[in-house]
Amino acid sequence: MRSPRRCSRNGCPRQAVATLTYVYNESTAVVGPLAAFAEPHTYDLCEPHARNLTAPRGWDVVRHEGEFEPPPPTTDDLVALAEAVREAARPAPPRPPSDDDDHHHQAPQPHQQGRRGHLRVIPPNH
């Protein structure tokens, strides 16, 4: 799954909820809802930075009225999540006997660590 877009401000770890666009020929900074795609000449901002943005002297700020909300998950995100859940739900393939099994004569453990695709099953602590 893709990670959420982060605020463009240096050192800010928060999730972006708004997009800042400069309209140079009108000396205006526009802060609106988060754009669907990150564009090279726009800046993603978290809510505090979007609310507190100031423009250079002589510039105007046009700000979105209302709440800034994180974007809903995209179809790609939902498909990736569904595939991960389906993969995790598949039963583990039977383990072929190995030479080590003959020497140790241990009973099979009810919770074994294994891998399923890119997910790893970790047994609970006993």
Side-chain angles (χ1 to χ4, degrees):
M1 219 162 41
R2 285 181 305 147
S3 61
R5 285 163 41 193
R6 299 283 174 209
C7 184
S8 298
R9 294 292 176 115
N10 283 340
C12 183
R14 291 185 287 261
Q15 181 178 0
V17 296
T19 296
L20 166 64
T21 306
Y22 288 109
V23 183
Y24 291 97
N25 60 348
E26 296 181 19
S27 299
T28 303
V30 180
V31 180
L34 188 64
F37 301 99
E39 297 289 334
H41 300 292
T42 62
Y43 303 90
D44 292 340
L45 299 175
C46 64
E47 186 166 2
H49 283 125
R51 295 261 176 240
N52 298 320
L53 178 86
T54 58
R57 183 174 290 135
W59 281 59
D60 294 319
V61 175
V62 175
R63 199 178 319 267
H64 168 73
E65 291 296 325
E67 297 298 314
F68 289 112
E69 296 180 14
T74 65
T75 302
D76 291 346
D77 293 338
L78 294 174
V79 168
L81 179 59
E83 287 175 359
V85 168
R86 276 194 294 270
E87 182 68 26
R90 285 189 191 133
R95 196 172 136 229
S98 68
D99 292 340
D100 290 342
D101 290 341
D102 293 337
H103 298 314
H104 296 290
H105 302 291
Q106 289 181 339
Q109 297 293 321
H111 299 285
Q112 295 181 341
Q113 183 173 347
R115 290 187 63 82
R116 294 181 180 173
H118 64 283
L119 303 175
R120 187 168 59 163
V121 179
I122 309 248
N125 292 333
H126 294 289

